[in-house]
Amino acid sequence: MDIKTKNFHQKHDSRGTLTFLEGERDVPFAIKRIYYIYGVHPEERRGFHAHKRLQQYLICVHGKCSVMLDNGLGQRDHVVLEDPNAGLYVGPGVWCEMYGFSADAVLLVLASEYYDEADYIRDYDTFTTYVNGGRTL
Ligand code: T46
């Protein structure tokens, strides 16, 4: 499955901590878009889609949330995001569901492409057909 977790650079001093990352250096793409998700009810789930081309880094910069990742070929993973210094890379062709948001969670996402609804696969059966080679979408 095309996912990985990574810790970014941190600078600590008496004033606190600064984390930084650079496009095409710390993340493997030029960052074209940033969005963030917050105010999610703890019982709510989001996502339920995969992307055809989009690469993303998910960083929970405050609070906590979890991500379920599925490659459509029988492999599933769950990743807890609760460290503002840690990112989860999600490549194309990975079904993604976010859940378990704490009330104070802020999920920051760095994306390799501008928003394009045509890049989303929002139906799970269509997704499994897609990753199994039925790429006639
Ligand atoms: C993803 C996960 C991690 C825009 O107009 N522009 C944007 O850049 C984005 C991200 C969304 N939207 C619109 C599309 C929908 O009308 O905002 C609305 C909510 O988006 P969506 O239901 O796709 O949100 P999530 O939380 O289910 O998924 C989002 C991203 O869309 C998706 O790419 O990988 O976060």
Side-chain angles (χ1 to χ4, degrees):
M1 180 145 43
D2 193 11
I3 61 170
K4 68 174 81 89
T5 52
K6 174 178 179 131
N7 289 316
F8 300 117
H9 310 279
Q10 272 185 324
K11 297 283 184 183
H12 300 285
D13 63 31
S14 59
R15 300 166 297 173
T17 302
L18 183 153
T19 288
F20 66 94
L21 56 92
E22 297 179 333
E24 298 180 278
R25 293 183 174 172
D26 303 303
V27 303
F29 51 81
I31 299 163
K32 283 194 178 163
R33 180 166 52 106
I34 294 171
Y35 60 92
Y36 38 99
I37 296 167
Y38 53 95
V40 181
H41 190 277
E43 300 300 317
E44 198 61 74
R45 295 177 78 94
R46 301 186 64 113
F48 296 91
H49 59 251
H51 286 283
K52 297 175 194 169
R53 291 194 311 125
L54 188 68
Q55 303 177 71
Q56 304 194 101
Y57 249 103
L58 279 61
I59 305 163
C60 196
V61 292
H62 196 258
K64 176 178 175 176
C65 68
S66 297
V67 188
M68 193 284 285
L69 305 134
D70 178 338
N71 71 351
L73 302 167
Q75 192 187 351
R76 277 193 173 191
D77 237 317
H78 293 260
V79 175
V80 178
L81 298 175
E82 55 185 339
D83 178 355
N85 187 51
L88 168 66
Y89 171 82
V90 182
V94 177
W95 185 265
C96 195
E97 297 177 14
M98 298 93 79
Y99 63 98
F101 285 83
S102 61
D104 59 351
V106 181
L107 178 62
L108 176 73
V109 184
L110 314 175
S112 65
E113 307 296 333
Y114 299 121
Y115 175 71
D116 176 13
E117 186 58 37
D119 189 66
Y120 285 72
I121 305 172
R122 292 191 183 269
D123 174 75
Y124 189 75
D125 289 341
T126 306
F127 167 64
T128 55
T129 303
Y130 181 80
V131 295
N132 281 288
R135 294 169 189 259
T136 53
L137 298 172

